[in-house]
Amino acid sequence: MTVHDELGTALRRLEATMKATDLWRMNTPTVEAYASQQPFCIDTMTLLQWLRFVFIPRLDALIEAKAPLPAKCDVTPVVDTYLAQQGTRASDRLLLLKAVEEIDRLVTEN
C-alpha cells in the first residue's frame, strides 16, 4: 500500500469521524471565502469548514494525481485548540484528533 493509498484511507476516516460526531453538517463557504490568504482560511471559514471544504479536497487531489505531498503537515494542534474553544465533547474531540494526527503523520513521514 502506497502512502497515497494510506492517506486516502485516513481522509475517509476523518470524514467518517466528522459525520459520526455530527461535525460534518455545515454551510458551504462562499466563493470569496476560498480566496483567504490566512492560514486555515481562519478569517473566512470555521476550522471545520476548512477541514471539510479545503483540507480534505486538496489532499484528495494530490492523491488522485499521485503528486508529491507537502513536506510537513501539523494540523492537529490547531484542531485541538479549536475544538477545546468550541466546547466539543471530550470523546468527539479525541476521535477527531486521532483521525487528524494520522493524516499529519502520513504526510510528514512520506
Side-chain angles (χ1 to χ4, degrees), residues 10 26 28 31-32 56 62 66 88 90 94 101 105 108:
M26 62 193 72
T28 303
V31 173
E32 295 81 18
I56 293 172
L62 293 176
K66 302 241 186 275
T88 305
L94 181 62
E101 280 177 342
R105 183 188 67 75
T108 302

Side-chain angles (χ1 to χ4, degrees), residues 34-101:
Y34 290 91
S36 172
Q37 297 299 307
Q38 297 298 313
F40 313 104
C41 298
I42 203 71
D43 59 335
T44 59
M45 299 181 193
T46 67
L47 188 65
L48 295 176
Q49 283 177 313
W50 177 82
L51 282 173
R52 179 176 174 186
F53 296 105
V54 177
F55 184 69
I56 293 172
R58 283 186 183 170
L59 288 177
D60 277 337
L62 293 176
I63 291 167
E64 188 174 319
K66 302 241 186 275
L69 299 177
K72 185 175 181 183
C73 187
D74 196 19
V75 176
T76 304
V78 177
V79 172
D80 187 26
T81 300
Y82 177 82
L83 295 175
Q85 290 173 346
Q86 297 302 306
T88 305
R89 284 188 329 199
S91 58
D92 291 349
R93 187 171 151 202
L94 181 62
L95 288 170
L96 197 61
L97 289 175
K98 284 187 179 208
V100 174
E101 280 177 342

Side-chain angles (χ1 to χ4, degrees), residues 14-29:
L14 172 59
E15 182 178 326
T17 300
M18 289 179 73
K19 288 176 179 176
T21 57
D22 202 27
L23 297 172
W24 186 255
R25 280 192 199 171
M26 62 193 72
N27 293 327
T28 303

